[in-house]
Amino acid sequence: MKITKIILGSLLITSFLTSCNNNNDKADGYGNFEATETTISAESNGKLIQFTVEEGQTLKEGAVVGLIDTIQLSLKKEQLVAAKNGISAKSRNVLSQINVLKAQLNTAEISKNRIENLLKSNAGTQKQLDDINGQIDVIKQQIKSVETQNAPIINEIKSINAQIKQLEDQIQKSIITNPVNGTVLVKYAEPNEITSFGRPLYKIADLNIMELRVYVSETQLASIKIGQNVTVKIDAGDTMKDYNGTITWVASEAEFTPKIIQTKEERVNMVYAVKINVKNDGSLKIGMPAEMWISTNKN
């Protein structure tokens, strides 16, 4: 009887320990590391005369990494500038005519005032006033006519200025400038190749902070909130390596468990996606699997 009690007690203890291990050995979420990848494309057409990007290279925002040939654009700009100068010369001639006519108008108006004063003192005639008024009307009509001739010239200059600005923008975009801090993941082009607008040149991502996307069940949502610190674990040989992570996003809608996360039987369950930011020490890679542990006491 005593032996039987000892055996039963041992079985209960073993069963309890096994149950505890089964619960504690299971992570709260499983997923893979991601990073925001940006594909940098050409914004101009031409020969890639300089391109210094290499895969694995770390680039700073604003760094100049390449140059597309701008000779044709520069030549077009020179042509437009020359055309603008020629048209501006015509405009200056027209403006000088207007200035001469305005000077004549000013003289005529002075004469009109003098004649009006003479009329008041009966020293002038109505014919003199009518003649000067007619002369003033003629000069005003001449000014309007010349201004009408100058309007198309002004519009043409405005059009050329717009074309010059477009070329300057294209020349500026021929200078390939890296837009974000990060590491080059893939290189799509080589120097001396002919590129075109929209053609991908390289792909870059900031790998300093990796984003782990895991999936949790609805029952786990109560223990998860944005800004919460969690433990992230990855395989490191025969052990697990720990990282500190911070939850930055929790999905508002459920989805079916992704195939890469769970078994076929478990994929029918509805889960919620959670994103966790983890500082990268150089070991974390895009696509690497990892686990999320809400309680740091789980081993």
Side-chain angles (χ1 to χ4, degrees):
M1 184 68 176
K2 186 175 181 180
I3 295 174
T4 302
K5 288 182 178 180
I6 292 174
I7 293 174
L8 289 174
S10 299
L11 290 173
L12 288 173
I13 292 173
T14 301
S15 175
F16 175 76
L17 291 175
T18 302
S19 176
C20 290
N21 288 336
N22 287 339
N23 290 334
N24 290 338
D25 285 344
K26 189 174 181 181
D28 296 290
Y30 301 89
N32 299 82
F33 281 108
E34 301 175 348
T36 301
E37 301 178 5
T38 304
T39 299
I40 312 302
S41 301
E43 297 183 82
S44 182
N45 302 322
K47 186 177 182 181
L48 194 59
I49 59 178
Q50 180 182 345
F51 192 53
T52 59
V53 170
E54 297 296 339
E55 294 182 359
Q57 180 182 5
T58 300
L59 299 177
K60 295 291 185 181
E61 179 182 354
V64 176
V65 297
L67 177 65
I68 299 173
D69 185 16
T70 60
I71 292 178
Q72 294 301 319
L73 296 175
S74 298
L75 292 175
K76 287 182 181 179
K77 180 182 175 181
E78 289 180 7
Q79 290 176 346
L80 288 173
V81 170
K84 176 185 173 181
N85 292 335
I87 295 172
S88 296
K90 294 180 181 179
S91 179
R92 285 192 294 270
N93 291 334
V94 174
L95 291 175
S96 64
Q97 293 178 35
I98 293 175
N99 290 333
V100 170
L101 290 171
K102 285 183 177 180
Q104 294 175 2
L105 178 63
N106 184 56
T107 302
E109 287 177 342
I110 292 174
S111 298
K112 177 183 176 181
N113 291 333
R114 185 181 300 114
I115 292 172
E116 288 175 343
N117 290 329
L118 290 173
L119 278 174
K120 291 178 182 179
S121 60
N122 295 322
T125 64
Q126 183 64 40
K127 183 177 182 305
Q128 289 177 312
L129 182 61
D130 292 341
D131 289 343
I132 196 65
N133 282 331
Q135 184 179 349
I136 289 174
D137 289 340
V138 171
I139 294 174
K140 287 182 177 178
Q141 290 297 325
Q142 289 176 334
I143 291 174
K144 288 182 179 179
S145 176
V146 175
E147 287 178 341
T148 302
Q149 296 175 18
N150 193 48
I153 297 176
I154 298 299
N155 290 333
E156 191 170 356
I157 291 175
K158 289 181 179 179
S159 175
I160 291 177
N161 284 335
Q163 294 178 58
I164 290 175
K165 288 182 179 180
Q166 287 179 340
L167 287 173
E168 289 175 343
D169 180 64
Q170 291 178 17
I171 291 172
Q172 182 62 37
K173 288 179 178 178
S174 296
I175 302 172
I176 305 168
T177 304
N178 182 60
V180 294
N181 294 325
T183 301
V184 178
L185 303 178
V186 184
K187 179 181 178 181
Y188 299 114
E190 295 292 341
N192 298 317
E193 291 183 355
I194 302 298
T195 188
S196 58
F197 180 86
R199 178 190 172 185
L201 300 176
Y202 64 98
K203 183 184 291 183
I204 190 171
D206 187 356
L207 303 181
N208 291 323
I209 301 295
M210 299 293 289
E211 187 175 78
L212 175 63
R213 179 190 289 264
V214 301
Y215 295 87
V216 300
S217 64
E218 184 177 1
T219 57
Q220 293 174 281
L221 287 179
S223 59
I224 292 176
K225 62 181 179 180
I226 294 177
Q228 178 180 349
N229 293 325
V230 296
T231 300
V232 173
K233 297 187 177 186
I234 63 170
D235 292 327
D238 297 331
T239 61
M240 301 289 284
K241 186 175 181 180
D242 293 359
Y243 291 86
N244 294 322
T246 304
I247 296 176
T248 59
W249 175 79
V250 179
S252 57
E253 296 182 357
E255 58 184 287
F256 283 107
T257 308
K259 296 180 180 180
I260 61 172
I261 302 299
Q262 300 288 2
T263 63
K264 181 178 180 180
E265 292 74 15
E266 292 174 320
R267 285 202 301 268
V268 298
N269 297 328
M270 299 297 289
V271 293
Y272 293 81
V274 176
K275 292 182 180 179
I276 305 161
N277 278 358
V278 181
K279 187 174 181 180
N280 191 1
D281 61 356
S283 299
L284 306 180
K285 309 295 181 184
I286 296 175
M288 178 183 288
E291 302 175 354
M292 177 193 72
W293 296 71
I294 297 175
S295 173
T296 57
N297 293 326
K298 296 181 180 182
N299 295 313

